Amino acid sequence: MNMQKSRPGFRRRAVLAGVGLAALLAVVPAFAQDPSGELVILQWQGGTDGEMWLKLEADFVAKNPGVTTRELVITAQGDARGGIRTALIGGEKVDVVINTWPAFRAELADSGILRPIDDLWASAGLDSVLDQSWKDLGSTNGVTYGVNYTYGDRSAVWYKKAHLEKAGVEPPKTWDEFVASLDKLKAAGFATPIAMPGKYWAHGEWFETLLLRTGGVEASNALARHEIKWTDDIVKTTLKKYAELLKAGCCGTPEQMFAGDWDYSADQIFTADAANYLLIGMWMNSRARNDYKLNEGVDYSIFQFPALGLGHDDTSSVDAKEVLATTNGANPSAADAFLVYMVSADAAKILAGYGYASPSKNADPSMLGPVQQVATAAVAQSKVQFVLGDLLPGDLVDEYRVQLQKFLQDPSDATIDTVTAAIEAKAQELY
Amino acid sequence: MQETVASDAAGSRTKFSSRPGGERHALLATGWRVRDWPAAWLLIAPVLILFGIAVVFPLIETIRLSFFDIKGLGRPKYVGLGNYVKLFTDPAFRNTLSTTLIFTLSTTAISVGLGWLLAMLSAFSPRHTLPFRVMIFAAFGISEAVAGYMWIGILRPDSGGLLNAVIGLFQPGFAQPWLGDPRTGLWVLIVAASWGGVGLPLMLCFAAVQAIPKSLFEAAYIDGATHGQVMRNIMMPLSMPGVRVSIFINLLGALRAFDIIYILTGGGPVRSTETVGYFMYRESMTQFKLGYGAAATVILLVAVLFVSIPAIIQRTAGAR
């Protein structure tokens, strides 16, 4: 009897409990997704970029009041990877890592430091925010790790408008026009029209875009994977094109080229008015606007690397920055929220304010300044290839840059043979 | 006063040498050493622990790492002496050996030579040269990193660099890329690195000259010696202990030099200014080949020991 009486009551309670549990389960994820607590970001960017990051973090915190952010700052001159590795090996717990090197992401992923974000990508609907190509760029071995939040054209030549006007030069479209413009600029009093930063790595920029324009994306990719040798004719032809510039007296003496890095070269154009062209990434835009206080598109601009006419002029070198989530971070929900935030319209607006383009479909292109609009349009119309130097094994990059310095010292055919053989010898050890 | 100290020291030595083995016997007979061992160990333990943590452990760990192939954050692979074999067949490393030798010997020669000479000259008029000595010694207290950035300002390749601007007063528009030339970059770096190193030899040698009994100078001048002769025959030979300590300290500093190279040249151009210390950094921290970098570190350590041990033995023998 009791049992009979109790059964309907049990059923009712069971049903109510089931409904309650279902309601609870429906509500719990909503709470779980609500990020709170401290979000630790491994930060290696300084100057204006560092300032931009503080703004991004402040905006993220404003939208997620339960979260606080803390930057674990790595100070590095040049390549920050050593500092990042040291911090991570040293046991630092961080939720988010900023990265710009695909090969480094692979290294971090192999060592189990990165958390795959395929589930996040699906649940946050990032497919509707970023094109598949950006997802592919943020993936290693088919697993997605990175959310690309900015990208830049690395085949853009920067110039100060007043210099070209003084020399009566229009932004050159072809290689011949470009080489011819060097003489006009020299005649106008600029002894070294191209500011060539040969001290560390930036002299490789010219080689890398010339390689793209000589052999296309396929050749550049093949070289990155060592499917073609460094002694291949494509590499030698590229260096011979590079030699044309040097022989035309583009860049002063090798000693002048070796004396400065990209920032010194930028100073030579934008503050010293001593040089005219600089091939460098889009971070230059931020420097020109914020450090030199120049008006984008008015005082300075860019033109896309001149066409060589070798069948690959629709190519551009690009770089990108991504945010990665770690496995050892204490706050994965905040990390996930931050990754999604970085491709939001609000983040894109802050990025645009500092002269950076976002790959997000949420980004409003009209927010970009005129120079960034030229760059993004050029990239959109190009077959793109990630910066070669960031795809090569570390040892090889080192050798490649030193051998390119030797080439700058003496751009003869004999040197081209020597330096390509030396890079190839190093590559043979590493692949 | 010096004579008193010297005779005291001589007396002490006589006391010990006159009782060979006596000291040990006396100590064991009274048993104080055995009794005091715990207290002695307790007193010395903090230092030993700190030394172990800060010096011995990292040293052993570095030697251990040098037997492994570690690339990036990957799993270490034992390679025995493989890293050492590879180092000596690596042209970049072989190049750093000669660069290190030139850098070390040259900076030591310039710093100690100049410091010694200035000390001799200062000794003729200690009071008037005090501000001068203080200024030079102050440079010794400036960190290499700060000095590096100061030298960047001096050596800027355009006419805005201080050195180019000064030369430009006589030759308008002068702009020499001092650090950009692989033929001269190392020598300019040596000058920059030596600058901060002059202060210590100056003070050590000056102190050594001050310790010379005045009677020697008086006797020399009474005999008609000139300043030059006094300097050559009295001050220089008798300041040699200061010179030896200066050489020792400067050699060690130059062997381990890193900051100023990192800031001024980054080892370039074309690796012409890359020393073992910088190579070690590049391999360990840029390439993150920790095992390979550790092997270079061990070789640098051997070089440092090669310089240190004879000096330590000599100092210890001198103390006895």
Side-chain angles (χ1 to χ4, degrees), chain A residues 74-136:
Chain A
I74 305 278
T75 45
Q77 179 172 288
D79 197 330
R81 279 173 284 189
I84 298 173
R85 288 183 185 110
T86 308
L88 295 173
I89 282 184
E92 292 285 0
K93 307 281 186 213
V94 294
D95 298 295
V96 171
V97 177
I98 306 161
N99 178 51
T100 189
W101 309 274
F104 186 48
R105 184 207 310 123
E107 184 187 323
L108 294 173
D110 286 348
S111 58
I113 287 169
L114 298 185
R115 183 158 54 84
I117 55 162
D118 288 294
D119 290 344
L120 171 70
W121 200 280
S123 64
L126 290 181
D127 275 330
S128 63
V129 179
L130 292 170
D131 281 335
Q132 182 64 33
S133 59
W134 293 112
K135 187 179 182 186
D136 293 343

Side-chain angles (χ1 to χ4, degrees), chain A residues 77 82 85-86 89 107-108 111 113 199-200 254-256 258-259 264 268 394-395 398-399 402 405-406 409, chain B residues 72-73 149 156-158 177 180-183 262-266 269-271 282-283 285-289:
Chain A
Q77 179 172 288
R85 288 183 185 110
T86 308
I89 282 184
E107 184 187 323
L108 294 173
S111 58
I113 287 169
K199 189 170 183 177
Y200 298 121
E255 294 77 40
Q256 286 172 313
F258 296 154
Y264 172 78
Q268 292 304 298
D395 255 9
D398 239 28
E399 190 65 30
V402 168
Q405 285 183 328
K406 290 184 180 171
Q409 284 182 298
Chain B
L73 298 165
Y149 282 107
R156 252 184 90 100
D158 54 22
D181 190 336
R183 292 162 303 183
Y262 176 77
I263 290 164
L264 286 185
T265 63
V270 205
R271 292 190 181 134
R282 183 167 63 78
E283 292 296 333
M285 298 309 298
T286 308
Q287 306 298 336
F288 227 67
K289 287 155 57 187

Side-chain angles (χ1 to χ4, degrees), chain A residues 169 172 174-185 248 277:
Chain A
V169 170
T174 67
W175 182 252
D176 291 341
E177 284 174 16
F178 183 61
V179 175
S181 76
L182 301 178
D183 281 338
K184 290 182 185 170
L185 288 161
Y277 298 138

